[in-house]
Amino acid sequence: KNQVEQSPQSLIILEGKNCTLQCNYTVSPFSNLRWYKQDTGRGPVSLTIMTFSENTKSNGRYTATLDADTKQSSLHITASQLSDSASYICVVSAGYKLSFGAGTTVTVRA
Amino acid sequence: EAGVAQSPRYKIIEKRQSVAFWCNPISGHATLYWYQQILGQGPKLLIQFQNNGVVDDSQLPKDRFSAERLKGVDSTLKIQPAKLEDSAVYLCASIQGVNNEQFFGPGTRLTVL
């Protein structure tokens, strides 16, 4: 069964600090791994997409890494801002079939 | 480019009533998804269309849920009759290619009383 597990379930950080979110998956065959940001009351928005041959990708203060051998990914947020408060969802694709993690809720406090 | 459009944004109904949601994907996107997202959880796939054909509806409760995508563009998702546990956000998404970005609509928040 294709599964995507994220940790931690939630975290609270102070504005300006860094944090790292984890994603482990068992999806096969593997096409790509995506990280989404979902603000409260909105649909998810894509942050990064990584294929098998990519092991890191950045989007501003967001940096995603992928280890396809261990089937692990991380999302690092640098110098957090209040607007980073959201749910971050890891999604692994097997072709057009996408498996979603439950998400990590990040709260940034001033 | 215009995003994925959904309507209505909010809907409140009583159990056993019926409800329909509408989605207009990004122009040219052949693959369209409907997801159900319960508070605190990730989206759960209900149905996936490729053009106007169903690719995956294995998790769609077919006794009460139905969906169609006539002409391979707009799509509607219907629930009849609704149950309390159907209260959730229903998200529509579309994608052009397997490694391309998947775009989500704003969702429809359904409350069943």
Side-chain angles (χ1 to χ4, degrees):
Chain A
K1 178 181 178 182
N2 291 337
Q3 287 189 315
V4 179
E5 296 184 352
Q6 293 187 242
S7 63
Q9 185 175 16
S10 63
L11 65 91
I12 299 173
I13 58 173
L14 292 177
E15 188 178 15
K17 298 297 185 181
N18 305 333
C19 68
T20 300
L21 315 179
Q22 300 292 339
C23 173
N24 297 333
Y25 63 92
T26 59
V27 175
S28 181
F30 176 88
S31 294
N32 57 63
L33 185 143
R34 305 160 183 261
W35 283 95
Y36 289 87
K37 178 186 179 187
Q38 186 173 24
D39 293 314
T40 301
R42 293 180 178 269
V45 174
S46 178
L47 292 175
T48 62
I49 302 172
M50 290 182 292
T51 58
F52 186 88
S53 59
E54 298 173 296
N55 56 22
T56 187
K57 184 161 282 189
S58 293
N59 179 355
R61 295 178 295 102
Y62 301 102
T63 300
T65 65
L66 172 64
D67 186 333
D69 292 330
T70 61
K71 297 188 177 181
Q72 296 179 326
S73 176
S74 65
L75 180 70
H76 186 75
I77 305 175
T78 302
S80 61
Q81 300 177 359
L82 297 178
S83 59
D84 293 330
S85 293
S87 178
Y88 292 84
I89 304 173
C90 176
V91 182
V92 184
S93 299
Y96 284 98
K97 185 175 179 65
L98 282 66
S99 297
F100 286 73
T104 293
T105 300
V106 174
T107 303
V108 181
R109 290 188 174 163
Chain B
E1 89 192 328
V4 176
Q6 288 188 249
S7 67
R9 288 297 313 277
Y10 306 92
K11 190 73 177 179
I12 300 174
I13 61 173
E14 295 188 348
K15 59 183 180 183
R16 290 187 291 273
Q17 286 187 323
S18 62
V19 64
F21 312 130
W22 173 82
C23 172
N24 185 10
I26 292 175
S27 177
H29 284 197
T31 307
L32 182 148
Y33 307 81
W34 281 103
Y35 295 95
Q36 180 192 61
Q37 187 174 26
I38 294 172
L39 187 64
Q41 299 181 17
K44 167 192 163 186
L45 178 68
L46 292 174
I47 190 166
Q48 176 186 340
F49 291 95
Q50 184 74 18
N51 296 309
N52 61 349
V54 175
V55 173
D56 184 353
D57 63 356
S58 57
Q59 298 189 82
L60 186 74
K62 298 179 186 64
D63 57 334
R64 298 184 301 106
F65 285 65
S66 65
E68 61 181 10
R69 190 184 184 196
L70 299 176
K71 301 179 182 179
V73 182
D74 294 8
S75 178
T76 56
L77 176 69
K78 297 179 181 178
I79 307 175
Q80 181 180 7
K83 293 185 175 180
L84 296 177
E85 58 261 36
D86 297 333
S87 293
V89 175
Y90 290 84
L91 294 165
C92 179
S94 70
I95 194 169
Q96 187 172 33
V98 68
N99 288 323
N100 289 8
E101 184 172 346
Q102 182 188 36
F103 292 89
F104 282 83
T108 295
R109 180 175 296 278
L110 173 68
T111 302
V112 183
L113 303 175

